[in-house]
DNA sequence: CTCTTGAATAAGTACTACCTTTGAGCTTCA
DNA sequence: TGAAGCTCAAAGGTAGTACTTATTCAAGAG
């Protein structure tokens, strides 16, 4: 995937840390990594600097590179999210992210109702309609579902919400891949998406928030099983 | 603050990008930076790799280092948050973060009611009481307020919420520093904090969520003025 | 026997010089 | 005109060297 050497190193070490192969407190040394991966010091250090930026490790003189405990990690870094989802605590991670979704999306919907441009509102309605017409094809459904939620977050006019689009993408993709979805999307869920779109178009914050809250509580209940 | 040279470079370039001094599309070249900051290439490249990890820039051969548009930035990186708050769009950023809080904290409170350990619940109550007894001293109040919200997020048992403690910290600190707080905390707000703590201790998710929602809607309204 | 001092040393930090690779843009030629 | 190929600037990567600091541990003082 990543082209450069530091990137490749990162893709080796990062997941190893996140999955606990290098547990917190473990110490790496640049020289070891140089030999282990047959790369020069420059490459090792550049990779390390990135891991440090993600707060996965901390580098100290005379000690080495120490793996930090999980509480320090930048859990919102897209790569960390990906690595955790690919790793062993996938289920746990999916739960965390779903809870995050369930908190943010209703509020984002309310804001979108107040701030969405007519174009955004129109496109949102289109996507909701497409959702309804692709309940038979899970893959196509997923694409539209992701587009719908991404657009909604963008329409909220809040940078921070907008960025969570990747999280939603990961969650939706993840739960379809691991068959945590019902084989056919529930008609009630689809109806609620349409309602969200309508409410946003009508500028009705309360209704948009309510409908979205209904969607995410349903998702949360599905997950509990 | 930061000790190493790459770190210092970062603290120069990062804020410059975030505040728009280097606008999206602008091109930096390693050699220029070397000369401008009187450091070696190694240092420049390490700093650049970190900026790249934050998705503030993208480095391409034969082109140089291009500043990316804001939509690409990792807005959840603590440093990016700090730089934006120190920069020109402080007010805008504070609004975004407050909206994020208003979305997450009520849900975190509900989860905390279900998952908090007795110790956490006890400590939460303590902090609420301390809040009540320090309404006369804004600084002391701030310290307890931050501790209260951080603990609540931690007690939610969700990594992603827990990490937002820094955001809450930044928001609360920011609004006191910029005098967006009433000179004396409202007694109603304090009462609600106590109610949240009680509800968490009692395991009453709905009440905890409701009380927290009341707190954040109040905050949002204060901000609108 | 404890506490301070200071030397040894290990590991990250930083600089330099040199080579390789890639891709944007120009040139050439069918 | 447009596709193939050339050029060269800028990033990518390697190797070697020197520096800086924490840690560690032992010697000496109180």
């Amino acid at each position: 995937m990543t082209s450069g050497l530091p990137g490749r190193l990162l893709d080796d070490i990062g997941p190893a840390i996140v999955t606990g192969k290098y547990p917190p407190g473990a110490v790496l040394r640049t020289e070891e990594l140089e030999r282990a991966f047959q790369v020069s010091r420059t490459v090792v250090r550049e990779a390390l600097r990135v891991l440090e930026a993600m707060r996965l490790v901390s580098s100290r003189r005379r000690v080495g590179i120490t793996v930090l405990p999980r509480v320090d990690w930048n859990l919102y870094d897209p790569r960390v999210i990906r690595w955790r989802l690919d790793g062993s605590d996938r289920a746990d991670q999916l739960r965390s992210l779903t809870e995050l979704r369930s908190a943010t999306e209703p509020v984002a919907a309310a804001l979108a109702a107040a701030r969405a441009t007519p174009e955004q509102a129109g496109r949102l309605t289109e996507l909701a309609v497409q959702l309804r017409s692709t309940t038979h094809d899970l893959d196509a459904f997923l694409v539209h579902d992701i587009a719908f939620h991404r657009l909604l977050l963008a329409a909220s006019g809040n940078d921070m919400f907008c960025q969570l689009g990747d999280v939603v993408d990961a969650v939706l993709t993840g739960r379809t891949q691991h068959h945590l979805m019902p084989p056919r999307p529930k008609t009630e869920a689809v109806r609620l998406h349409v309602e969200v779109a309508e409410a946003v178009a009508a500028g009705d914050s309360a209704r948009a928030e309510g409908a979205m809250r209904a969607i995410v509580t349903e998702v949360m209940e599905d997950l509990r099983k």
Side-chain angles (χ1 to χ4, degrees), chain A:
Chain A
M1 210 256 84
T2 323
S3 52
L5 289 206
R8 259 188 266 163
L9 233 195
L10 212 57
D11 287 337
D12 280 324
I13 305 179
I17 292 176
V18 162
T19 60
K21 208 168 163 187
Y22 294 126
V27 174
L28 315 172
R29 254 147 307 182
T30 30
E31 206 190 339
E32 282 178 21
L33 294 171
E34 273 178 62
R35 268 181 294 133
F37 293 93
Q38 290 292 305
V39 290
S40 71
R41 188 155 3 149
T42 320
V43 170
V44 172
R45 296 202 54 196
E46 285 175 24
L48 246 22
R49 277 278 134 74
V50 175
L51 289 173
E52 211 175 20
M54 294 174 174
R55 309 227 40 181
L56 292 184
V57 304
S58 130
S59 160
R60 281 166 58 208
R61 283 184 176 183
R62 179 66 215 243
V63 174
I65 293 102
T66 318
V67 176
L68 292 174
R70 192 196 287 200
V71 288
D72 285 317
W73 300 353
N74 269 194
L75 300 182
Y76 286 84
D77 187 296
R79 268 177 290 200
V80 174
I81 292 178
R82 185 151 24 87
W83 292 338
R84 291 185 77 192
L85 281 173
D86 291 344
S88 46
D89 54 18
R90 189 187 312 138
D92 223 44
Q93 169 72 345
L94 222 45
R95 184 185 53 73
S96 293
L97 294 177
T98 303
E99 285 170 3
L100 179 63
R101 262 192 78 192
S102 80
T104 50
E105 291 210 73
V107 175
L111 291 174
R115 297 178 185 161
T117 66
E119 291 74 41
Q120 288 174 322
R123 179 89 187 104
L124 208 58
T125 311
E126 273 177 44
L127 284 167
V129 170
Q130 287 180 322
L131 265 187
R132 190 156 49 187
S133 65
T134 51
T135 48
H136 53 92
D137 176 357
L138 267 191
D139 289 333
F141 185 86
L142 178 64
V143 171
H144 294 135
D145 200 15
I146 290 174
F148 181 92
H149 289 277
R150 284 200 111 104
L151 178 55
L152 186 92
L153 291 167
S156 75
N158 180 317
D159 290 340
M160 305 303 286
F161 286 148
C162 185
Q163 192 121 97
L164 293 177
D166 290 335
V167 168
V168 173
D169 190 331
V171 169
L172 294 181
T173 307
R175 73 170 188 184
T176 348
Q177 276 178 355
H178 300 106
H179 309 291
L180 302 171
M181 270 281 282
R184 296 200 47 163
K186 299 179 187 169
T187 55
E188 172 63 3
V190 175
R191 195 192 63 70
L192 285 168
H193 279 76
V194 175
E195 187 175 341
V196 169
E198 281 175 6
V200 167
D204 185 343
S205 284
R207 193 162 149 243
E209 178 166 352
M212 185 55 94
R213 206 169 287 286
I215 293 175
V216 294
T217 48
E218 176 122 5
V219 169
M220 291 285 291
E221 272 164 23
D222 283 356
L223 195 70
R224 240 186 290 281
K225 297 178 298 197

